[in-house]
Amino acid sequence: MTISWDEVDQISMNNQKHGRSLVQGRARGKVLHTDVPLSFWMGIDPQTGVVIDKHHPLSGVSVTGKILLLPGGRGSCSGSCGLVELIMSGYAPAALVLEAEDPILALGALLAAEIFGRSIPVVSVDPQLSRRLASMPSLAIEDSYIAYGEDEAERIELKPVSSGMPAL
């Protein structure tokens, strides 16, 4: 029996159709995808939202207002500060969709919420779901799901983090 790649995608989507909400929130926007981790400290200009890391595939591209899909952050704990600066300047992505749970980036969103009352959703999905979502022109993130596809009719359930870092 031979199956197509679309059928493989459908099987994996049916078997693993959930993600985790690291920082809850709502966002809607165009998808901006990279398969290379990105530094939020010195990799993105916090006053413009433009990727300034000359070696990154998104160099010169603005992340502002986009649903940013990426494997995770790159660098040390200073990435939290970089994300806080982006949120406070108004040039942050609308949301982060990560392939791996990134406590540093989640911490940045949590700090911005707790200290300044402003934040963005941060969610994680497995790499197969990430690739599927990367092919979508836009996504909507609600507290408990990611909506995608025509009329945002397809959904991925987001389970809140129950241990370690609390979901906001």
Side-chain angles (χ1 to χ4, degrees):
M1 178 175 154
T2 305
I3 61 174
S4 70
W5 283 109
D6 288 291
E7 290 169 309
V8 170
D9 282 348
Q10 190 59 45
I11 290 167
S12 61
M13 289 294 288
N14 288 338
N15 290 336
Q16 184 72 15
K17 201 164 182 172
H18 69 273
R20 289 181 48 125
S21 178
L22 306 177
V23 181
Q24 290 184 335
R26 296 179 176 164
R28 175 175 268 106
K30 292 182 179 181
V31 170
L32 179 61
H33 172 258
T34 180
D35 56 0
V36 177
L38 178 62
S39 172
F40 280 72
W41 184 255
M42 304 298 288
I44 303 172
D45 183 340
Q47 297 308 311
T48 65
V50 173
V51 176
I52 56 174
D53 178 347
K54 298 291 184 200
H55 302 287
H56 196 277
L58 293 180
S59 181
V61 176
S62 175
V63 300
T64 305
K66 307 284 189 334
I67 305 291
L68 183 57
L69 271 78
L70 67 163
R74 187 178 77 211
S76 66
C77 61
S78 58
S80 295
C81 296
L83 185 56
V84 169
E85 285 191 48
L86 281 165
I87 292 169
M88 296 313 301
S89 69
Y91 291 103
L96 297 177
V97 179
L98 310 168
E99 289 182 7
E101 293 182 9
D102 188 323
I104 291 171
L105 292 177
L107 178 62
L110 287 169
L111 285 172
E114 289 296 315
I115 297 171
F116 302 109
R118 295 160 74 182
S119 190
I120 63 171
V122 180
V123 303
S124 66
V125 296
D126 71 45
Q128 287 179 326
L129 279 176
S130 180
R131 285 190 294 278
R132 173 79 173 139
L133 295 175
S135 70
M136 299 294 136
S138 63
L139 299 173
I141 297 177
E142 297 292 331
D143 289 333
S144 61
Y145 64 87
I146 300 172
Y148 64 99
E150 192 171 323
D151 298 325
E152 298 175 354
E154 298 185 64
R155 293 189 175 182
I156 297 168
E157 177 187 358
L158 294 174
K159 296 181 178 182
V161 175
S162 58
S163 62
M165 214 170 19
L168 179 65

Coordinates of all heavy atoms in Angstrom, one line a residue, residues 6 15 22 27 34 67 87 97 99 109 118-120 137 139:
D6 N 0.5 13.9 1.6 CA -0.6 14.6 2.2 C -1.3 13.6 3.2 O -1.7 14.1 4.3 CB -1.6 15.0 1.2 CG -1.1 16.2 0.4 OD1 -1.1 17.3 0.9 OD2 -0.8 16.0 -0.8
N15 N -2.9 12.2 14.9 CA -2.3 11.6 16.0 C -1.7 12.6 17.0 O -1.6 12.3 18.2 CB -1.2 10.6 15.6 CG -1.7 9.4 14.9 OD1 -2.9 9.1 15.1 ND2 -0.9 8.8 14.1
L22 N 2.6 28.2 26.5 CA 3.6 28.6 27.6 C 3.2 29.9 28.2 O 3.4 30.1 29.4 CB 5.0 28.7 26.9 CG 5.5 27.4 26.2 CD1 6.8 27.7 25.6 CD2 5.5 26.2 27.1
A27 N -3.8 36.3 19.5 CA -3.0 37.0 18.4 C -3.5 36.5 17.1 O -4.0 35.4 16.9 CB -1.5 36.8 18.5
T34 N 11.0 30.6 10.0 CA 12.4 30.3 9.8 C 12.7 28.9 10.5 O 12.1 28.6 11.5 CB 13.3 31.3 10.4 OG1 14.7 31.0 10.2 CG2 13.1 31.5 11.9
I67 N 3.0 36.3 13.2 CA 3.1 35.0 14.0 C 4.4 34.4 13.6 O 4.6 33.9 12.5 CB 1.9 34.1 13.7 CG1 0.6 34.8 13.8 CG2 2.0 32.8 14.5 CD1 0.2 35.2 15.2
I87 N 8.4 44.0 22.9 CA 7.0 44.1 23.4 C 6.8 45.6 23.8 O 5.8 46.2 23.4 CB 6.7 43.1 24.5 CG1 6.7 41.7 24.0 CG2 5.4 43.5 25.1 CD1 6.6 40.6 25.0
V97 N 5.5 30.9 17.9 CA 5.2 29.5 17.9 C 6.5 28.7 17.7 O 7.2 28.9 16.7 CB 4.2 29.1 16.7 CG1 4.0 27.6 16.6 CG2 2.9 29.9 16.8
E99 N 9.1 25.3 18.2 CA 9.2 23.8 18.0 C 9.6 23.2 19.4 O 9.4 22.0 19.6 CB 10.1 23.4 16.9 CG 9.6 23.7 15.6 CD 10.5 23.2 14.5 OE1 11.5 22.6 14.7 OE2 10.2 23.6 13.3
A109 N 8.1 37.1 27.8 CA 6.7 37.4 27.7 C 6.0 37.5 29.0 O 5.2 38.4 29.2 CB 6.0 36.4 26.8
R118 N 1.8 44.1 29.3 CA 1.7 43.8 27.9 C 2.5 42.6 27.6 O 3.5 42.3 28.2 CB 2.3 45.0 27.1 CG 1.6 46.3 27.3 CD 2.4 47.5 26.9 NE 2.6 47.6 25.5 CZ 3.4 48.6 25.0 NH1 3.9 49.5 25.8 NH2 3.5 48.7 23.7
S119 N 1.9 41.7 26.7 CA 2.6 40.5 26.4 C 2.2 40.0 25.1 O 1.4 40.6 24.4 CB 2.2 39.4 27.5 OG 3.0 38.3 27.4
I120 N 2.7 38.8 24.7 CA 2.4 38.1 23.5 C 2.2 36.6 23.8 O 2.9 36.2 24.8 CB 3.4 38.3 22.3 CG1 4.7 37.7 22.7 CG2 3.5 39.8 21.9 CD1 5.7 37.6 21.5
P137 N -0.8 30.8 5.3 CA -0.6 32.3 5.1 C -0.7 33.0 6.4 O -0.1 34.0 6.6 CB -1.5 32.7 4.0 CG -2.6 31.7 4.0 CD -2.0 30.4 4.5
L139 N -2.3 32.7 10.8 CA -2.8 31.9 11.9 C -3.5 32.9 12.9 O -3.3 34.1 13.0 CB -1.6 31.3 12.7 CG -0.8 30.3 11.9 CD1 0.4 29.9 12.8 CD2 -1.5 29.1 11.5

